[in-house]
Protein backbone atom coordinates (compact mmCIF):
# COMPACT_ATOMS: atom_id res chain seq x y z
CA UNK A 1 0.00 0.00 0.00
CA UNK A 2 1.33 3.35 -1.05
CA UNK A 3 0.43 6.40 1.02
CA UNK A 4 0.78 10.02 -0.10
CA UNK A 5 1.45 12.65 2.54
CA UNK A 6 1.02 16.16 1.16
CA UNK A 7 4.08 18.12 2.34
CA UNK A 8 1.98 21.10 3.31
CA UNK A 9 4.03 22.50 6.17
CA UNK A 10 6.71 21.62 8.63
CA UNK A 11 5.16 18.90 10.74
CA UNK A 12 6.25 15.67 12.28
CA UNK A 13 6.05 13.78 9.00
CA UNK A 14 9.07 11.62 9.79
CA UNK A 15 7.14 9.80 12.52
CA UNK A 16 4.17 9.17 10.23
CA UNK A 17 6.44 7.79 7.50
CA UNK A 18 8.13 5.57 10.12
CA UNK A 19 4.95 4.01 11.43
CA UNK A 20 3.56 3.33 7.96
CA UNK A 21 6.78 1.47 7.15
CA UNK A 22 6.46 -0.49 10.39
CA UNK A 23 2.83 -1.28 9.53
CA UNK A 24 3.96 -2.76 6.21
CA UNK A 25 3.20 0.08 3.80
CA UNK A 26 5.21 2.78 2.13
CA UNK A 27 4.67 6.50 2.44
CA UNK A 28 6.11 9.42 0.61
CA UNK A 29 5.91 13.17 1.17
CA UNK A 30 4.70 14.76 -2.04
CA UNK A 31 5.14 18.35 -3.07
CA UNK A 32 3.00 18.35 -6.20
CA UNK A 33 -0.75 17.57 -6.10
CA UNK A 34 -0.47 15.98 -9.57
CA UNK A 35 1.43 13.12 -7.94
CA UNK A 36 -1.63 12.12 -5.89
CA UNK A 37 -2.87 9.87 -8.70
CA UNK A 38 0.05 7.50 -8.20
CA UNK A 39 -1.03 6.63 -4.64
CA UNK A 40 -3.85 4.52 -3.26
CA UNK A 41 -4.39 6.43 -0.02
CA UNK A 42 -3.71 9.82 1.53
CA UNK A 43 -2.75 11.01 5.01
CA UNK A 44 -3.22 14.64 5.94
CA UNK A 45 -0.86 15.28 8.83
CA UNK A 46 0.40 18.42 10.40
CA UNK A 47 0.71 20.53 13.46
CA UNK A 48 0.03 24.21 13.81
CA UNK A 49 -2.85 26.62 13.49
CA UNK A 50 -6.02 25.92 11.48
CA UNK A 51 -5.75 28.93 9.14
CA UNK A 52 -2.11 28.19 8.49
CA UNK A 53 -3.00 24.61 7.57
CA UNK A 54 -5.77 25.73 5.18
CA UNK A 55 -3.57 28.38 3.60
CA UNK A 56 -0.85 25.76 3.03
CA UNK A 57 -3.40 23.51 1.29
CA UNK A 58 -4.62 26.41 -0.80
CA UNK A 59 -1.20 27.82 -1.73
CA UNK A 60 -0.01 24.38 -2.77
CA UNK A 61 -3.06 23.83 -5.00
CA UNK A 62 -4.19 20.83 -2.93
CA UNK A 63 -7.82 21.70 -2.25
CA UNK A 64 -9.39 20.89 -5.62
CA UNK A 65 -7.56 17.56 -6.22
CA UNK A 66 -8.10 16.40 -2.62
CA UNK A 67 -11.76 17.40 -2.84
CA UNK A 68 -12.12 15.23 -5.93
CA UNK A 69 -10.58 12.24 -4.12
CA UNK A 70 -12.74 12.77 -1.04
CA UNK A 71 -15.96 13.01 -3.04
CA UNK A 72 -14.94 10.20 -5.40
CA UNK A 73 -15.35 7.84 -2.46
CA UNK A 74 -12.68 5.35 -3.56
CA UNK A 75 -9.42 6.53 -2.01
CA UNK A 76 -9.12 6.21 1.78
CA UNK A 77 -8.12 9.50 3.40
CA UNK A 78 -6.95 9.86 7.01
CA UNK A 79 -6.51 13.19 8.80
CA UNK A 80 -4.25 13.25 11.86
CA UNK A 81 -4.50 15.94 14.57
CA UNK A 82 -4.69 19.26 12.70
CA UNK A 83 -5.28 17.16 9.59
CA UNK A 84 -8.48 15.85 11.21
CA UNK A 85 -9.67 19.35 12.09
CA UNK A 86 -9.12 20.50 8.50
CA UNK A 87 -11.72 17.92 7.37
CA UNK A 88 -14.38 19.97 9.19
CA UNK A 89 -16.26 23.12 8.13
CA UNK A 90 -14.65 25.70 10.35
CA UNK A 91 -12.66 26.30 13.56
CA UNK A 92 -12.77 28.69 16.50
CA UNK A 93 -9.02 28.93 15.97
CA UNK A 94 -9.30 30.76 12.65
CA UNK A 95 -11.50 32.45 10.08
CA UNK A 96 -10.86 30.37 6.96
CA UNK A 97 -13.34 27.69 5.92
CA UNK A 98 -12.13 24.12 6.29
CA UNK A 99 -12.39 21.34 3.69
CA UNK A 100 -15.96 20.71 4.86
CA UNK A 101 -16.03 16.98 4.07
CA UNK A 102 -17.37 16.20 7.54
CA UNK A 103 -20.27 18.32 8.84
CA UNK A 104 -18.56 19.40 12.05
CA UNK A 105 -17.24 22.57 13.66
CA UNK A 106 -13.99 22.78 15.60
CA UNK A 107 -14.45 24.50 18.95
CA UNK A 108 -12.10 25.59 21.70
CA UNK A 109 -11.90 23.03 24.54
CA UNK A 110 -13.69 24.36 27.61
CA UNK A 111 -12.75 23.10 31.06
CA UNK A 112 -14.40 23.97 34.36
CA UNK A 113 -12.33 26.47 36.34
CA UNK A 114 -11.03 24.74 39.44
CA UNK A 115 -11.42 21.28 37.89
CA UNK A 116 -7.65 20.91 37.64
CA UNK A 117 -8.07 20.01 33.96
CA UNK A 118 -5.67 21.73 31.59
CA UNK A 119 -5.78 22.90 28.01
CA UNK A 120 -4.16 21.63 25.83
CA UNK A 121 -5.52 18.15 26.42
CA UNK A 122 -2.06 16.61 26.38
CA UNK A 123 -0.93 13.10 27.21
CA UNK A 124 -2.29 9.55 27.05
CA UNK A 125 -6.00 8.99 27.20
CA UNK A 126 -8.23 5.98 26.72
CA UNK A 127 -10.97 6.16 24.12
CA UNK A 128 -14.47 4.79 23.79
CA UNK A 129 -15.20 3.46 20.31
CA UNK A 130 -18.78 4.38 19.42
CA UNK A 131 -19.44 2.28 16.35
CA UNK A 132 -17.89 -0.24 13.96
CA UNK A 133 -15.48 1.54 11.63
CA UNK A 134 -12.60 0.75 9.29
CA UNK A 135 -9.70 1.97 11.46
CA UNK A 136 -10.31 1.30 15.17
CA UNK A 137 -10.99 -2.11 16.70
CA UNK A 138 -14.30 -2.57 18.47
CA UNK A 139 -13.40 -5.73 20.37
CA UNK A 140 -13.66 -3.99 23.73
CA UNK A 141 -9.97 -4.11 24.60
CA UNK A 142 -8.87 -0.83 26.16
CA UNK A 143 -7.13 1.42 23.63
CA UNK A 144 -5.02 4.38 24.59
CA UNK A 145 -3.56 7.09 22.41
CA UNK A 146 -1.37 10.16 22.72
CA UNK A 147 -3.21 13.48 22.36
CA UNK A 148 -2.06 17.11 22.09
CA UNK A 149 -4.76 19.62 21.16
CA UNK A 150 -6.57 22.73 22.34
CA UNK A 151 -9.55 22.52 19.96
CA UNK A 152 -12.00 19.69 19.37
CA UNK A 153 -14.41 18.74 16.60
CA UNK A 154 -18.14 18.67 17.27
CA UNK A 155 -20.09 16.68 14.65
CA UNK A 156 -23.65 17.52 13.50
CA UNK A 157 -24.38 13.82 13.02
CA UNK A 158 -23.66 11.57 15.99
CA UNK A 159 -23.06 8.74 13.52
CA UNK A 160 -19.94 10.53 12.26
CA UNK A 161 -18.32 10.20 15.71
CA UNK A 162 -16.16 7.07 15.77
CA UNK A 163 -14.56 7.44 19.20
CA UNK A 164 -14.48 9.82 22.15
CA UNK A 165 -12.01 10.58 24.95
CA UNK A 166 -13.04 12.01 28.29
CA UNK A 167 -11.49 15.32 29.39
CA UNK A 168 -14.12 16.89 31.59
CA UNK A 169 -16.52 16.19 28.72
CA UNK A 170 -16.36 13.61 25.93
CA UNK A 171 -14.17 15.00 23.13
CA UNK A 172 -14.24 13.61 19.60
CA UNK A 173 -11.18 11.39 19.32
CA UNK A 174 -11.99 10.02 15.86
CA UNK A 175 -14.58 10.85 13.24
CA UNK A 176 -15.41 9.93 9.68
CA UNK A 177 -17.83 8.90 6.99
CA UNK A 178 -17.41 7.00 3.72
CA UNK A 179 -13.74 7.11 2.67
CA UNK A 180 -12.74 9.98 4.96
CA UNK A 181 -11.56 9.37 8.53
CA UNK A 182 -9.84 11.61 11.03
CA UNK A 183 -8.16 11.05 14.38
CA UNK A 184 -7.43 13.80 16.87
CA UNK A 185 -4.65 11.82 18.53
CA UNK A 186 -1.27 10.82 17.12
CA UNK A 187 -1.32 7.16 16.06
CA UNK A 188 2.33 7.51 15.03
CA UNK A 189 3.16 8.14 18.70
CA UNK A 190 0.76 5.65 20.29
CA UNK A 191 2.71 2.39 20.42
CA UNK A 192 0.93 -0.80 19.34
CA UNK A 193 -2.46 0.93 19.44
CA UNK A 194 -1.39 3.40 16.77
CA UNK A 195 0.35 0.65 14.83
CA UNK A 196 -2.84 -1.46 14.81
CA UNK A 197 -4.80 1.55 13.60
CA UNK A 198 -2.31 2.17 10.80
CA UNK A 199 -2.44 -1.47 9.74
CA UNK A 200 -6.22 -1.24 9.51
CA UNK A 201 -5.95 1.98 7.54
CA UNK A 202 -3.60 0.26 5.07
CA UNK A 203 -5.98 -2.71 4.69
CA UNK A 204 -9.11 -0.61 4.35
CA UNK A 205 -10.79 -0.69 0.95
CA UNK A 206 -13.63 1.61 0.03
CA UNK B 1 -9.26 10.61 31.70
CA UNK B 2 -5.72 11.76 31.05
CA UNK B 3 -3.04 9.73 32.76
CA UNK B 4 -0.10 11.02 34.72
CA UNK B 5 2.93 10.30 32.58
CA UNK B 6 5.97 8.36 33.78
CA UNK B 7 8.94 9.29 31.62
CA UNK B 8 12.36 7.62 31.44
CA UNK B 9 15.00 10.38 31.41
CA UNK B 10 18.17 9.31 29.66
CA UNK B 11 21.43 11.23 29.77
CA UNK B 12 23.81 11.31 26.83
CA UNK B 13 27.51 11.93 27.01
CA UNK B 14 29.79 11.52 24.01
CA UNK B 15 27.19 9.39 22.28
CA UNK B 16 26.85 6.94 25.18
CA UNK B 17 24.22 6.66 27.84
CA UNK B 18 25.32 7.67 31.35
CA UNK B 19 23.71 8.12 34.74
CA UNK B 20 24.88 10.73 37.20
CA UNK B 21 24.53 11.05 40.97
CA UNK B 22 23.74 14.56 42.16
CA UNK B 23 24.81 15.70 38.68
CA UNK B 24 28.32 14.25 39.14
CA UNK B 25 30.16 10.98 38.52
CA UNK B 26 28.57 9.92 35.24
CA UNK B 27 28.54 6.12 35.03
CA UNK B 28 28.33 4.54 31.57
CA UNK B 29 25.16 2.48 31.29
CA UNK B 30 25.18 1.44 27.64
CA UNK B 31 24.25 2.11 24.08
CA UNK B 32 21.39 4.62 23.77
CA UNK B 33 19.74 3.01 20.73
CA UNK B 34 19.55 -0.32 22.50
CA UNK B 35 18.05 1.30 25.62
CA UNK B 36 15.53 3.27 23.58
CA UNK B 37 14.49 0.14 21.73
CA UNK B 38 13.84 -1.61 25.05
CA UNK B 39 11.88 1.34 26.43
CA UNK B 40 9.82 1.41 23.21
CA UNK B 41 9.03 -2.30 23.63
CA UNK B 42 7.95 -1.60 27.20
CA UNK B 43 5.47 1.00 25.88
CA UNK B 44 6.70 3.89 27.98
CA UNK B 45 4.48 6.99 28.05
CA UNK B 46 7.14 9.26 26.63
CA UNK B 47 10.93 9.47 26.51
CA UNK B 48 13.29 12.28 27.39
CA UNK B 49 16.89 12.32 26.18
CA UNK B 50 19.21 15.03 27.48
CA UNK B 51 22.74 15.56 26.18
CA UNK B 52 24.55 16.76 29.31
CA UNK B 53 27.71 17.73 27.45
CA UNK B 54 26.38 19.66 24.46
CA UNK B 55 25.79 23.08 26.04
CA UNK B 56 28.82 22.83 28.28
CA UNK B 57 31.11 22.22 25.34
CA UNK B 58 29.23 24.59 23.02
CA UNK B 59 28.22 21.76 20.71
CA UNK B 60 25.10 21.46 18.56
CA UNK B 61 22.77 18.49 18.98
CA UNK B 62 24.03 15.25 17.38
CA UNK B 63 21.38 15.18 14.65
CA UNK B 64 22.42 11.84 13.17
CA UNK B 65 22.08 10.08 16.51
CA UNK B 66 18.81 11.83 17.35
CA UNK B 67 17.31 10.80 14.03
CA UNK B 68 18.08 7.19 14.93
CA UNK B 69 16.40 7.68 18.32
CA UNK B 70 13.29 9.11 16.68
CA UNK B 71 13.12 6.15 14.31
CA UNK B 72 12.84 3.82 17.32
CA UNK B 73 10.28 5.85 19.26
CA UNK B 74 6.61 5.09 18.67
CA UNK B 75 5.85 7.40 21.57
CA UNK B 76 6.60 11.11 22.07
CA UNK B 77 10.29 11.95 22.20
CA UNK B 78 11.71 15.01 23.93
CA UNK B 79 15.30 16.06 23.30
CA UNK B 80 17.38 18.60 25.21
CA UNK B 81 20.99 19.73 25.05
CA UNK B 82 22.81 22.35 23.02
CA UNK B 83 19.75 23.96 21.40
CA UNK B 84 20.37 27.67 20.92
CA UNK B 85 18.34 28.66 17.85
CA UNK B 86 14.88 28.22 16.33
CA UNK B 87 16.52 26.65 13.27
CA UNK B 88 18.11 23.93 15.41
CA UNK B 89 14.71 23.22 16.99
CA UNK B 90 13.10 23.07 13.55
CA UNK B 91 15.71 20.60 12.38
CA UNK B 92 14.99 18.38 15.40
CA UNK B 93 11.22 18.46 14.74
CA UNK B 94 11.82 17.48 11.13
CA UNK B 95 13.78 14.41 12.34
CA UNK B 96 10.76 13.21 14.31
CA UNK B 97 11.32 14.79 17.73
CA UNK B 98 8.05 16.09 19.27
CA UNK B 99 9.42 18.34 21.98
CA UNK B 100 12.60 20.25 22.59
CA UNK B 101 13.85 20.97 26.07
CA UNK B 102 15.58 24.29 26.64
CA UNK B 103 17.76 25.19 29.60
CA UNK B 104 21.08 27.03 29.21
CA UNK B 105 20.04 29.11 26.20
CA UNK B 106 16.74 29.96 27.93
CA UNK B 107 18.46 31.12 31.11
CA UNK B 108 20.56 33.43 28.94
CA UNK B 109 17.62 34.64 26.85
CA UNK B 110 14.01 33.54 27.36
CA UNK B 111 13.01 34.91 23.97
CA UNK B 112 14.29 31.67 22.41
CA UNK B 113 11.35 29.89 24.05
CA UNK B 114 8.97 32.56 22.75
CA UNK B 115 10.29 32.23 19.21
CA UNK B 116 10.03 28.42 19.20
CA UNK B 117 6.53 28.53 20.74
CA UNK B 118 5.32 31.13 18.23
CA UNK B 119 6.46 29.01 15.32
CA UNK B 120 5.74 25.47 16.47
CA UNK B 121 3.30 25.87 19.37
CA UNK B 122 3.81 25.78 23.12
CA UNK B 123 3.29 22.02 23.24
CA UNK B 124 6.62 21.62 21.45
CA UNK B 125 8.87 23.51 23.85
CA UNK B 126 9.76 22.61 27.43
CA UNK B 127 11.87 24.60 29.84
CA UNK B 128 14.01 22.67 32.25
CA UNK B 129 15.41 24.01 35.50
CA UNK B 130 17.84 22.43 37.95
CA UNK B 131 17.28 23.43 41.56
CA UNK B 132 19.64 22.71 44.44
CA UNK B 133 19.19 22.98 48.18
CA UNK B 134 21.65 25.28 49.90
CA UNK B 135 23.33 24.73 53.27
CA UNK B 136 20.60 26.67 55.02
CA UNK B 137 17.82 24.72 53.31
CA UNK B 138 16.93 27.38 50.76
CA UNK B 139 16.59 26.35 47.14
CA UNK B 140 18.36 28.04 44.26
CA UNK B 141 18.94 27.61 40.54
CA UNK B 142 21.86 25.35 39.71
CA UNK B 143 23.55 25.95 36.37
CA UNK B 144 25.00 23.00 34.49
CA UNK B 145 26.89 25.15 32.05
CA UNK B 146 28.19 28.69 31.80
CA UNK B 147 30.03 30.46 34.55
CA UNK B 148 27.38 33.05 35.32
CA UNK B 149 25.52 32.33 38.52
CA UNK B 150 21.76 32.76 38.57
CA UNK B 151 20.53 35.29 41.07
CA UNK B 152 16.80 35.18 40.26
CA UNK B 153 14.65 33.03 42.57
CA UNK B 154 14.03 29.64 40.94
CA UNK B 155 10.27 29.95 40.91
CA UNK B 156 10.30 33.31 39.13
CA UNK B 157 12.59 31.82 36.46
CA UNK B 158 9.92 29.16 35.87
CA UNK B 159 7.16 31.76 35.67
CA UNK B 160 9.20 33.73 33.18
CA UNK B 161 9.61 30.66 30.98
CA UNK B 162 5.86 29.99 31.10
CA UNK B 163 5.21 33.65 30.28
CA UNK B 164 7.37 33.17 27.21
CA UNK B 165 5.33 30.20 26.03
CA UNK B 166 6.96 27.11 27.57
CA UNK B 167 4.34 24.36 27.33
CA UNK B 168 5.74 22.25 30.16
CA UNK B 169 8.27 22.70 32.94
CA UNK B 170 10.86 20.07 33.82
CA UNK B 171 11.98 20.54 37.41
CA UNK B 172 15.09 18.65 38.51
CA UNK B 173 16.05 18.28 42.17
CA UNK B 174 19.85 18.21 41.92
CA UNK B 175 20.36 16.79 45.45
CA UNK B 176 18.10 13.81 44.65
CA UNK B 177 19.52 13.00 41.19
CA UNK B 178 20.57 9.35 40.97
CA UNK B 179 19.97 8.67 44.67
CA UNK B 180 16.71 6.68 44.30
CA UNK B 181 15.90 7.89 47.83
CA UNK B 182 12.65 9.70 47.11
CA UNK B 183 11.69 12.97 45.47
CA UNK B 184 11.76 16.47 46.89
CA UNK B 185 7.99 16.74 47.30
CA UNK B 186 8.21 20.21 48.83
CA UNK B 187 10.00 21.43 45.69
CA UNK B 188 7.28 19.81 43.54
CA UNK B 189 4.57 21.44 45.65
CA UNK B 190 6.12 24.89 45.32
CA UNK B 191 6.82 24.38 41.63
CA UNK B 192 3.32 23.22 40.71
CA UNK B 193 1.43 25.75 42.83
CA UNK B 194 -0.48 27.99 40.44
CA UNK B 195 1.50 26.68 37.45
CA UNK B 196 -0.78 26.79 34.39
CA UNK B 197 1.20 24.17 32.44
CA UNK B 198 2.17 20.58 33.29
CA UNK B 199 5.11 20.02 35.64
CA UNK B 200 7.49 17.14 34.96
CA UNK B 201 9.22 16.37 38.27
CA UNK B 202 12.61 14.66 38.10
CA UNK B 203 15.11 13.46 40.69
CA UNK B 204 15.11 10.75 43.33
CA UNK B 205 12.53 8.16 42.27
CA UNK B 206 13.38 4.75 43.74
CA UNK B 207 9.95 3.15 44.00
CA UNK B 208 6.39 3.27 42.70
CA UNK B 209 5.38 4.99 45.94
CA UNK B 210 7.77 7.86 45.13
CA UNK B 211 5.95 8.40 41.84
CA UNK B 212 2.61 8.50 43.62
CA UNK B 213 3.93 11.03 46.16
CA UNK B 214 5.15 13.31 43.37
CA UNK B 215 1.76 13.17 41.66
CA UNK B 216 0.04 13.93 44.97
CA UNK B 217 2.37 16.92 45.37
CA UNK B 218 1.20 18.31 42.03
CA UNK B 219 3.36 16.76 39.29
CA UNK B 220 1.60 16.02 35.97
CA UNK B 221 4.43 13.74 34.97
CA UNK B 222 7.38 12.10 36.70
CA UNK B 223 10.78 11.67 35.13
CA UNK B 224 12.83 8.66 36.20
CA UNK B 225 16.54 8.05 35.60
CA UNK B 226 18.51 5.70 37.85
CA UNK B 227 15.57 3.53 38.94
CA UNK B 228 14.84 2.53 35.34
CA UNK B 229 18.46 1.70 34.45
CA UNK B 230 19.96 0.23 37.63
CA UNK B 231 19.01 -2.91 39.50
CA UNK B 232 19.99 -4.15 42.95
CA UNK B 233 22.40 -2.85 45.60
CA UNK B 234 25.38 -2.94 43.26
CA UNK B 235 23.61 -0.87 40.64
CA UNK B 236 23.87 -3.45 37.85
CA UNK B 237 22.56 -2.05 34.58
CA UNK B 238 19.06 -3.34 33.79
CA UNK B 239 16.46 -1.43 31.81
CA UNK B 240 13.03 -1.63 33.43
CA UNK B 241 9.67 0.14 33.38
CA UNK B 242 6.55 -0.61 35.45
CA UNK B 243 3.79 -2.63 33.83
CA UNK B 244 0.83 -0.61 32.56
CA UNK B 245 -1.59 -2.19 35.05
CA UNK B 246 0.81 -1.39 37.92
CA UNK B 247 0.85 2.27 36.90
CA UNK B 248 -2.93 2.37 36.49
CA UNK B 249 -3.42 0.89 39.96
CA UNK B 250 -0.79 3.22 41.43
CA UNK B 251 -2.21 6.43 40.00
CA UNK B 252 -5.91 5.73 40.46
CA UNK B 253 -7.49 8.31 42.69
Amino acid sequence: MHVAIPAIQCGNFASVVNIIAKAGGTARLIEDPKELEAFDRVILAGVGAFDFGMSCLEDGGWIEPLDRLARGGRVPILGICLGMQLLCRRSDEGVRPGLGWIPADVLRIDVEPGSGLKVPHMGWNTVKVMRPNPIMPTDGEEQRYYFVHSFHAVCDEPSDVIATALHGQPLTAALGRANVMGVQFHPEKSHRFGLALMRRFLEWTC
Amino acid sequence: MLKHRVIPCLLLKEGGLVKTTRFSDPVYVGDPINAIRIFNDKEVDELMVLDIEASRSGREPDYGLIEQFAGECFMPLCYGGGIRTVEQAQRLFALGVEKVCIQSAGLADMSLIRRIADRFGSQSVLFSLDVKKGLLGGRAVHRRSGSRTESRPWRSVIDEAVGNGAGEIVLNAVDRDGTMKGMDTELIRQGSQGLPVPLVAVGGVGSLADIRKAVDAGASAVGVGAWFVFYGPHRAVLITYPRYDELVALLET
Side-chain angles (χ1 to χ4, degrees), chain B residues 218-238:
Chain B
S220 295
V222 179
V224 181
W227 192 49
F228 286 168
V229 296
F230 291 134
Y231 178 77
H234 302 294
R235 293 165 81 95
V237 174
L238 180 70

Side-chain angles (χ1 to χ4, degrees), chain B residues 109-188:
Chain B
D109 176 12
M110 287 288 183
S111 79
L112 174 63
I113 293 173
R114 165 59 54 210
R115 283 176 281 129
I116 296 174
D118 281 349
R119 188 113 143 239
F120 303 101
S122 280
Q123 85 291 336
S124 68
V125 52
L126 280 61
F127 176 70
S128 149
L129 193 67
D130 303 332
V131 174
K132 195 172 179 177
K133 244 180 176 169
L135 290 174
L136 302 173
R139 293 175 175 84
V141 176
H142 172 83
R143 295 195 68 165
R144 289 189 210 213
S145 65
S147 50
R148 209 162 59 87
T149 53
E150 180 58 60
S151 54
R152 291 169 288 181
W154 66 270
R155 180 57 209 251
S156 51
V157 174
I158 286 179
D159 291 335
E160 199 188 331
V162 173
N164 277 282
E168 288 178 73
I169 297 297
V170 180
L171 185 55
N172 301 292
V174 176
D175 336 73
R176 306 297 176 112
D177 172 57
T179 63
M180 298 192 253
K181 288 189 172 142
M183 304 194 82
D184 185 344
T185 49
E186 185 50 34
L187 177 72
I188 297 167

